[in-house]
């Protein structure tokens, strides 16, 4: 075959060749695992939180403040808040990427998701540490 003959034959990409052009799926695996890790952390912390909340039924504000100002309760509550907002951010990200097909709207919602989840986590952590440190 000469160079002229090789150029005349059209090249039809195989499905594998088309898929290789789409990039790596490595970040999706990390996303999947972090979603599961935060779910496990939340599953372990929810019974603790429910127990605390049930024990505070009918308690006055001073007692509630005392309970959440204990170091182990403040640390567990901070861990719960971080896992909760991280899990929510990851879950909402998947929903946005799967169901929003307008690229501009999708990017806007993804940025809002990050900002609102970060703001919620920071505000919650501020409140927890304010209670814990100003006891």
């Amino acid at each position: 075959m000469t160079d002229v003959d090789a150029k005349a034959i059209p090249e039809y990409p195989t499905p594998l060749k088309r898929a290789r052009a789409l990039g790596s799926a490595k970040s999706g695996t990390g996303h999947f695992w972090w979603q599961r890790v935060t779910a496990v952390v939340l599953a372990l912390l929810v019974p603790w939180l429910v127990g605390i909340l049930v024990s505070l039924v009918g308690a006055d504000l001073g007692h509630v403040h005392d309970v959440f100002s204990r170091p182990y309760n403040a640390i567990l509550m901070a861990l719960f808040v971080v896992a909760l907002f991280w899990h929510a951010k990851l879950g909402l990200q998947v929903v946005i990427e799967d169901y929003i097909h307008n690229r501009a709207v999708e990017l806007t919602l993804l940025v809002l998701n990050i900002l609102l989840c970060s703001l919620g986590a920071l505000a919650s952590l501020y409140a927890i540490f304010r209670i814990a440190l100003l006891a």
Side-chain angles (χ1 to χ4, degrees):
M1 249 171 142
T2 65
D3 287 333
V4 175
D5 292 336
K7 291 179 184 174
I9 300 172
E11 186 176 319
Y12 297 107
T14 64
L16 177 61
K17 190 168 186 175
R18 281 193 301 268
R20 284 188 178 149
L22 296 177
S24 172
K26 292 177 188 164
S27 66
T29 305
H31 190 279
F32 172 86
W33 279 108
W34 279 117
Q35 185 80 19
R36 277 30 181 205
V37 167
T38 56
V40 169
V41 170
L42 289 171
L44 294 173
L45 288 175
V46 164
W48 163 80
L49 183 61
V50 169
I52 291 286
L53 295 177
V54 167
S55 73
L56 293 174
V57 170
D60 64 343
L61 184 59
H63 181 66
V64 173
H65 190 272
D66 289 341
V67 168
F68 281 107
S69 65
R70 294 182 190 136
Y72 57 89
N73 283 337
I75 290 169
L76 288 176
M77 192 65 185
L79 181 61
F80 177 79
V81 164
V82 169
L84 178 74
F85 280 103
W86 194 356
H87 187 79
K89 183 252 177 214
L90 292 172
L92 286 171
Q93 179 182 340
V94 170
V95 170
I96 293 166
E97 290 171 348
D98 286 350
Y99 295 107
I100 305 299
H101 302 295
N102 181 322
R103 189 66 177 155
V105 174
E106 179 183 353
L107 290 175
T108 302
L109 289 175
L110 287 172
V111 169
L112 280 172
N113 180 33
I114 292 168
L115 291 175
L116 292 176
C117 286
S118 299
L119 181 65
L122 288 173
S124 299
L125 290 173
Y126 173 76
I128 292 166
F129 289 123
R130 184 174 165 105
I131 290 170
L133 297 177
L134 297 179

